[in-house]
Each structure stands twice: as structure tokens, then as C-alpha cells.
């Protein structure tokens, strides 16, 4: 009899304490996405933070954050932030921020933090991040205007010093809005690029999935690898040279008169 009474008392106590314990914690959920039609690199890392904003409106201390490794999953990427109520001040302002990075390179970030009320908002909240331009660098005091590269379709002549196959022409187009696209020789590709003062930063590329002859596929891989490694460029007399981070040529292209 005493055992039964003890179990009943424990059950009643748990019933009383459970709501109180639950009330001390809050959860805010949502998703992170971007508008660019490019694939998210499998090694990319997504970070979402709930921050307390300062009186001036600038981000203050981080209340909680979540680091997500999508490992091949594409946007939208779901997040779930858990935090104790005691960390939230009723007279303070709070916001959500997010970014996507690949190694030490920041790819996407919130241009404006999203205001939330942590004691009321549970979600779902959609955070749209924007592409982050690479910082402009000037090599040897010389720069090439972005307009010299943009608005023209370029056709590859040589990749890594090897002539391009006549049966697999590869092209490159960079629009002023930052879109990059063309034919890699077999498949079409697309992505985004930031261009300024002779510096170009190419984001992750998406491609179609056709299969071609082995020599065409080998050349396509070299073409896409060269674009991914491109850091700078030079345009002179109708010829475009893509350069790596050390200023070494990766690929030579000419204006495509057939476009």
C-alpha cells in the first residue's frame, strides 16, 4: 500500500513539475535559403544565430546558435534554436542572422537581420541569405575593369596549356548582375560570380548531367576546375586570360563570334 502511495505521489509531482520545466525553455525554428539557382557545396556550413541587438541597432551578444552541415542537402536548410527563457529580456530587441561558409570563405549572409520576439515567436521563420562578393584585390597596381569581361560570350581556346577539342567547344558568359553560365563542352553550367577590379570570385556551379565521349568529359572537368580556381583575369585585344590566386594562367579564351 505504501509503495502504491509513493508511486502516486511521484506521478503527481512529475505532473506538476513538468509544465514548469517546459516553460523555462523556448524553441524557434525555420529554414535558411537563397534565391540564386546554384548548388550548395557538400562541404558548406550553415550557421544560424539568435542575437540581442544593441541600442544602436547593431548585433550584440549571441543568445544561441546552431551550426548545420548539410552534406549534400540543398536549400532550404531547416534549423532549430533552443534557449532558456531566463536569457531573454522583455525590454531588449532580438534578431536572427545566418550565413553559409565554405572553409574560410563566406559565401552567403543575411544583409539585414530578421527581427523576432523570442518569448512569442516559435516559427517557422524563413531567412533569405544573399551572396557575399569577394574582397577586391589589386595585383601589382594593375586592374582590369569588370565591363571588359561582362556582357560577352567567350570561347575557350586552351585549358591548362592544352588546345580545346573542336568537337567540344566550351564557353563562358558573365552578366553584369553576377550570373555566370555557358557550355562546358558537354553539359551546360550555371552559377554566380562577383567581378571587380580584375578580381573574379566564382560561387559553386551547377551543371546538367549528360554523358559524352571520354575525351570530352576529361576536357569538361579541366574547364570547370579552371573556372572554380579563377581568382583574376586579364582582357587584351579580344582575348581573355583567367588567372589563379598567384596570377598564373589557367585558361585562354576569345570572343565567340558565333554567339
Amino acid at each position: 500500500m505504501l509503495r502504491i502511495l509513493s508511486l502516486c505521489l511521484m506521478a503527481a509531482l512529475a505532473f506538476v513539475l513538468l509544465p514548469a520545466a517546459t516553460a523555462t525553455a523556448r524553441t524557434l525554428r525555420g529554414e535558411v535559403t537563397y534565391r540564386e539557382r546554384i548548388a550548395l557545396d557538400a562541404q558548406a556550413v550553415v550557421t544560424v544565430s539568435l542575437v540581442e541587438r544593441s541600442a544602436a541597432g547593431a548585433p550584440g551578444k549571441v543568445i544561441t546558435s546552431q551550426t548545420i552541415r548539410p552534406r549534400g542537402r540543398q536549400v532550404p536548410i531547416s534549423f532549430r534554436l533552443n534557449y532558456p527563457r531566463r536569457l531573454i529580456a522583455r525590454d531588449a530587441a532580438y534578431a536572427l542572422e545566418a550565413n553559409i561558409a565554405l572553409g574560410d570563405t563566406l559565401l552567403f549572409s543575411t544583409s539585414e537581420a530578421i527581427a523576432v520576439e523570442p518569448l512569442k515567436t516559435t516559427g517557422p521563420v524563413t531567412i533569405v541569405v544573399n551572396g557575399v562578393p569577394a574582397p577586391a584585390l589589386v595585383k601589382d597596381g594593375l586592374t582590369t575593369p569588370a565591363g571588359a569581361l561582362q556582357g560577352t560570350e567567350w570561347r575557350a581556346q586552351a585549358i591548362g596549356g592544352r588546345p580545346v577539342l573542336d568537337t567540344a567547344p566550351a564557353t563562358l558568359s558573365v552578366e553584369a548582375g553576377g550570373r555566370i553560365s555557358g557550355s562546358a563542352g558537354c553539359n551546360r553550367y550555371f552559377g554566380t560570380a562577383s567581378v571587380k577590379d580584375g578580381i573574379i570570385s566564382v560561387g559553386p556551379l551547377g551543371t546538367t548531367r549528360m554523358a559524352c565521349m571520354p575525351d570530352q568529359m576529361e576536357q569538361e572537368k579541366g574547364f570547370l576546375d579552371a573556372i572554380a580556381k579563377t581568382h583574376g583575369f586579364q582582357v587584351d585585344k579580344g582575348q581573355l586570360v583567367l588567372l589563379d590566386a598567384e596570377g598564373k594562367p589557367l585558361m585562354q579564351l576569345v570572343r565567340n563570334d558565333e554567339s
Side-chain angles (χ1 to χ4, degrees):
M1 185 68 176
L2 289 176
R3 179 178 177 81
I4 295 175
L5 288 174
S6 298
L7 291 174
C8 290
L9 287 172
M10 290 176 61
L13 183 62
F15 181 79
V16 171
L17 294 179
L18 182 59
T22 304
T24 63
R26 294 285 298 176
T27 298
L28 200 161
R29 59 189 177 85
E31 61 185 21
V32 178
T33 189
Y34 49 76
R35 296 188 177 90
E36 289 83 351
R37 299 181 61 186
I38 59 176
L40 185 62
D41 192 284
Q43 303 300 316
V45 175
V46 181
T47 303
V48 183
S49 301
L50 173 65
V51 299
E52 179 181 335
R53 301 184 69 82
S54 68
K61 66 178 181 180
V62 175
I63 302 301
T64 186
S65 65
Q66 181 185 12
T67 299
I68 307 161
R69 300 182 184 276
R71 303 188 189 282
R73 288 183 289 124
Q74 300 301 309
V75 296
I77 302 297
S78 298
F79 69 85
R80 186 183 182 92
L81 297 175
N82 299 308
Y83 48 92
R85 294 172 62 95
R86 60 182 174 78
L87 295 182
I88 306 301
R90 293 186 179 277
D91 58 348
Y94 296 88
L96 286 175
E97 297 179 342
N99 63 62
I100 302 177
L102 183 60
D104 295 330
T105 303
L106 185 61
L107 303 177
F108 297 90
S109 182
T110 42
S111 56
E112 292 186 7
I114 300 175
V116 292
E117 296 183 66
L119 295 180
K120 296 180 180 180
T121 307
T122 59
V125 178
T126 298
I127 305 176
V128 179
V129 291
N130 300 307
V132 176
L137 300 176
V138 179
K139 185 176 180 63
D140 299 329
L142 302 175
T143 62
T144 302
L149 168 65
Q150 296 169 332
T152 298
E153 182 176 74
W154 301 90
R155 177 168 46 85
Q157 278 192 321
I159 305 170
R162 297 176 58 181
V164 172
L165 299 171
D166 292 335
T167 55
T171 62
L172 167 68
S173 295
V174 182
E175 300 175 8
R179 178 176 171 80
I180 184 172
S181 62
S183 170
C186 175
N187 288 280
R188 298 290 300 179
Y189 67 93
F190 49 89
T192 59
S194 171
V195 184
K196 185 177 181 181
D197 296 334
I199 303 299
I200 179 170
S201 177
V202 180
L205 298 176
T207 68
T208 55
R209 298 291 183 180
M210 293 192 302
C212 295
M213 298 297 292
D215 56 346
Q216 292 177 315
M217 298 303 293
E218 180 182 0
Q219 176 180 284
E220 177 168 286
K221 182 179 184 303
F223 177 83
L224 293 174
D225 286 347
I227 291 180
K229 295 176 182 177
T230 296
H231 184 76
F233 67 96
Q234 295 175 348
V235 178
D236 185 30
K237 298 180 180 179
Q239 184 180 60
L240 167 65
V241 180
L242 301 183
L243 309 169
D244 66 12
E246 298 179 353
K248 297 179 181 178
L250 293 167
M251 179 163 36
Q252 290 79 38
L253 307 94
V254 295
R255 296 182 187 275
N256 191 9
D257 296 331
E258 298 177 2
S259 60

